[in-house]
Amino acid sequence: MTKEKTLGHELVEAVKEALASKEQGKMVRPKVNVVMIRRKLGMTQSQFAKQYHIRLQTLRNWEQEKRFPDTTVLAYLICIAKRPKLISDMLNSGVK
């Protein structure tokens, strides 16, 4: 019987893998394609922004590559990509 990996375990493994890479010691931003994440979820920009509490203009700027998410937001977007329902449920529980 194997234990299911938690999101935390997946993120820790990703960090370990990044540190073990040939670029060790250098800050390397992961590439996150926000458009692909949103489209995979079948959402419009407006729906995605509202669902995940992101300003619509901010989302548009990321998608048009006018601006880029900082490292904290990159981690958040990776969480959305891996566990969209869990993140949505956590954000929107009790929100009317």
Side-chain angles (χ1 to χ4, degrees), residues 41 51-52 79-89:
L41 295 174
Q51 186 76 23
Y52 295 105
C79 291
I80 292 170
K82 296 215 176 245
R83 300 281 198 286
K85 181 166 178 10
L86 174 65
I87 301 301
S88 177
D89 290 349

Side-chain angles (χ1 to χ4, degrees), residues 7 11 32 37 48-49 51-54 62 70-82 87-88 90-91:
L7 183 57
L11 290 172
V32 175
I37 294 169
F48 187 88
Q51 186 76 23
Y52 295 105
H53 303 262
I54 299 168
W62 294 339
D70 64 25
T71 54
T72 303
V73 175
L74 286 173
Y76 177 56
L77 291 169
I78 291 167
C79 291
I80 292 170
K82 296 215 176 245
I87 301 301
S88 177
M90 289 188 324
L91 287 171

Side-chain angles (χ1 to χ4, degrees), residues 33-95:
N33 188 326
V34 182
V35 176
M36 282 182 45
I37 294 169
R38 180 179 58 77
R39 287 184 180 163
K40 184 177 177 185
L41 295 174
M43 301 174 95
T44 65
Q45 287 179 333
S46 183
Q47 290 169 330
F48 187 88
K50 184 176 181 180
Q51 186 76 23
Y52 295 105
H53 303 262
I54 299 168
R55 286 186 55 241
L56 181 57
Q57 188 58 48
T58 299
L59 178 64
R60 288 180 176 151
N61 285 337
W62 294 339
E63 289 193 4
Q64 295 169 11
E65 296 186 351
K66 291 180 180 177
R67 299 214 183 246
F68 298 93
D70 64 25
T71 54
T72 303
V73 175
L74 286 173
Y76 177 56
L77 291 169
I78 291 167
C79 291
I80 292 170
K82 296 215 176 245
R83 300 281 198 286
K85 181 166 178 10
L86 174 65
I87 301 301
S88 177
D89 290 349
M90 289 188 324
L91 287 171
N92 297 301
S93 62
V95 176

